């Protein structure tokens, strides 16, 4: 079954069938209904490759999300799902690339996709530099150090860390610890880790503040807590952006005999799932994965539609939700 056969059965020209399939031109309601009925009865499905050649479009976007550990985390998969759902609503497929630069380059040079969403960006990101030079449509979830050179959607880690310190200090906490992402990510200038560390240092310049890096797993949390209590035993509040070690940190505090929030307040920047999966639940600025994924897809499709479209910049700063894990320190 092909377009020619559809045209013969419907008694119309091939071009008329093409107009109905592509939507590029209007046809009369009677013709549209007749052709659509033949297509449905025959079970015809357009060949994706042929359509891409004819339309100059693959109707596919690439999602490049290299794992920051041995494999993609549950939190990363939430972003994958958010992007896939938003793309599907716009009749686009998603080609996922969690691997290294070779496969990423092939995705671009072979034009397998119409545009790309990049995740896990660093301040000096070679992928971004290459795409800018090629003029290939893309946006990032996360920012580089060149905010005005490309479109991006990001969480305001600097603003949220600053607000988190302010909230804790307002409760009377003068010795606060930041639990950051792994040292390796900070060394590579991974956006969230770098901006969180910088903002925390500035926000606690007149307070007692200790920043520690923690590996992305629950087992590492006990060691991080021990380091905090050894280096800053007066710490009464922990602010964490490491959502992958949050459950381990809560468990480590319990094992150390530290009650939340009586002995240690805990405030996080994490997903709702992570914040509510532990006991006690953790007060947090909930990472809006669905909103970020949808905003990235929308921004990318606008760039695909028009190269002259201004680079969209979307900075999200969700409100902190009080779940009872922060309180004034004991006197």
């Amino acid at each position: 079954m092909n377009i020619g056969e559809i045209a013969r059965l419907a008694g119309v020209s091939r071009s008329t069938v093409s107009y109905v399939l592509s939507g590029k031109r209007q046809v009369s309601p009677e013709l549209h209904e007749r052709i659509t009925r033949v297509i449905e009865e025959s079970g015809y499905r357009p060949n994706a490759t042929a359509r891409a050649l004819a339309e100059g479009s693959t109707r596919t976007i690439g999602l490049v999300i290299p794992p920051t550990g041995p494999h993609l985390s549950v939190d990363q998969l939430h972003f994958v799902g958010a992007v896939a759902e938003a793309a599907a609503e716009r009749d686009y497929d998603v080609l996922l690339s969690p691997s290294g630069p070779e496969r990423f380059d092939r995705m671009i040079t072979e034009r397998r996709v119409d545009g790309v969403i990049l995740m896990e960006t660093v301040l000096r990101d070679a992928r971004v530099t290459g795409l800018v030079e090629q003029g290939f449509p893309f946006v990032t979830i996360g920012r580089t150090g060149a905010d005005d050179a490309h479109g991006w959607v990001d969480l305001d880690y600097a603003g949220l860390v600053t607000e988190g310190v302010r909230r804790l200090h307002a409760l009377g906490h003068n010795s606060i610890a930041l639990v950051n992402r792994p040292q390796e990510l900070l060394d590579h200038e991974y956006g969230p880790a770098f901006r969180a560390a910088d903002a925390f240092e500035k926000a606690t310049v007149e307070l007692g503040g200790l920043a520690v890096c923690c590996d992305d797993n629950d087992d590492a949390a006990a060691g991080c807590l021990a380091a905090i209590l050894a280096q800053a035993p007066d710490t009464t509040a922990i602010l964490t952006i490491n959502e992958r070690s949050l459950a381990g940190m809560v468990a480590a505090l319990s094992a150390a005999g530290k009650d939340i929030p009586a002995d240690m307040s805990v405030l996080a920047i994490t997903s709702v799932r992570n914040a509510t999966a532990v006991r006690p639940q953790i007060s947090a600025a909930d990472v809006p994965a669905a909103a970020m994924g949808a905003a990235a897809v929308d921004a990318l499709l606008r760039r695909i539609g028009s190269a002259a479209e201004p680079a969209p910049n979307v900075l999200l700063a969700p409100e902190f939700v009080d779940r009872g894990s922060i309180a004034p320190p004991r006197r």
Side-chain angles (χ1 to χ4, degrees):
M1 184 61 63
N2 53 41
I3 289 180
E5 185 65 11
I6 295 295
R8 187 188 67 79
L9 292 172
V12 299
S13 67
R14 290 171 60 93
S15 60
T16 303
V17 176
S18 295
Y19 296 154
V20 170
L21 291 172
S22 67
K24 289 184 176 180
R25 291 191 187 179
Q26 293 293 321
V27 300
S28 69
E30 185 273 329
L31 279 181
H32 192 285
E33 182 181 354
R34 187 198 312 171
I35 294 168
T36 302
R37 184 169 62 250
V38 171
I39 290 172
E40 291 176 348
E41 291 175 353
S42 67
Y44 171 74
R45 293 292 181 271
N47 180 277
T49 303
R51 185 175 66 180
L53 289 171
E55 298 179 2
S57 169
T58 65
R59 303 294 298 182
T60 302
I61 60 176
L63 176 60
V64 182
I65 177 171
T68 54
H71 48 73
L72 292 177
S73 69
V74 173
D75 299 299
Q76 286 180 312
L77 290 174
H78 277 249
F79 277 98
V80 173
V83 169
E85 289 177 7
E89 290 177 359
R90 307 286 288 274
D91 195 28
Y92 271 77
D93 294 322
V94 175
L95 178 59
L96 178 64
S97 177
S99 56
E102 181 179 342
R103 186 168 294 180
F104 167 65
D105 290 341
R106 194 161 65 241
M107 176 192 290
I108 305 304
T109 57
E110 296 179 4
R111 291 298 192 267
R112 297 184 177 186
V113 295
D114 297 333
V116 170
I117 296 174
L118 297 179
M119 291 192 63
E120 307 299 1
T121 54
V122 295
L123 297 191
R124 285 170 284 192
D125 201 307
R127 302 171 303 169
V128 169
T129 303
L131 290 172
V132 169
E133 291 174 351
Q134 295 178 55
F136 196 82
F138 79 99
V139 297
T140 62
I141 295 181
R143 283 172 290 165
T144 65
D147 290 355
D148 58 347
H150 62 91
W152 49 263
V153 177
D154 199 9
L155 197 67
D156 186 10
Y157 278 94
L160 290 172
V161 166
T162 301
E163 173 63 14
V165 170
R166 187 199 67 77
R167 283 173 176 263
L168 292 169
H169 181 55
L171 288 172
H173 296 280
N174 294 316
S175 185
I176 304 167
L178 172 71
V179 177
N180 206 330
R181 299 291 300 280
Q183 184 66 50
E184 180 182 7
L185 294 182
L186 187 59
D187 292 342
H188 282 84
E189 297 184 326
Y190 174 62
F194 182 88
R195 290 187 172 90
D198 182 62
F200 183 77
E201 181 180 357
K202 293 174 180 176
T204 59
V205 67
E206 296 181 0
L207 304 175
L210 173 67
V212 299
C213 287
C214 188
D215 287 344
D216 287 340
N217 60 75
D218 290 336
D219 294 338
C224 290
L225 177 62
I228 290 170
L229 297 180
Q231 296 178 52
D234 294 335
T235 298
T236 56
I238 291 174
L239 173 61
T240 178
I241 72 162
N242 192 320
E243 55 189 2
R244 302 180 198 178
S245 68
L246 178 60
M249 182 60 67
V250 171
L253 284 166
S254 177
K258 300 285 187 180
D259 180 73
I260 301 174
D263 300 311
M264 186 75 73
S265 286
V266 178
L267 190 61
I269 301 171
T270 184
S271 66
V272 175
R273 180 185 62 84
N274 287 327
T276 59
V278 293
R279 293 294 180 272
Q281 295 186 3
I282 301 301
S283 301
D286 300 329
V287 176
M292 293 177 74
V297 169
D298 180 66
L300 178 59
L301 295 187
R302 283 190 279 124
R303 291 289 283 174
I304 291 171
S306 172
E309 179 78 19
N313 300 147
V314 181
L315 188 62
L316 300 176
E319 295 287 334
F320 281 91
V321 177
D322 185 5
R323 298 186 175 98
S325 67
I326 60 173
R330 283 182 173 173
R331 299 297 182 186

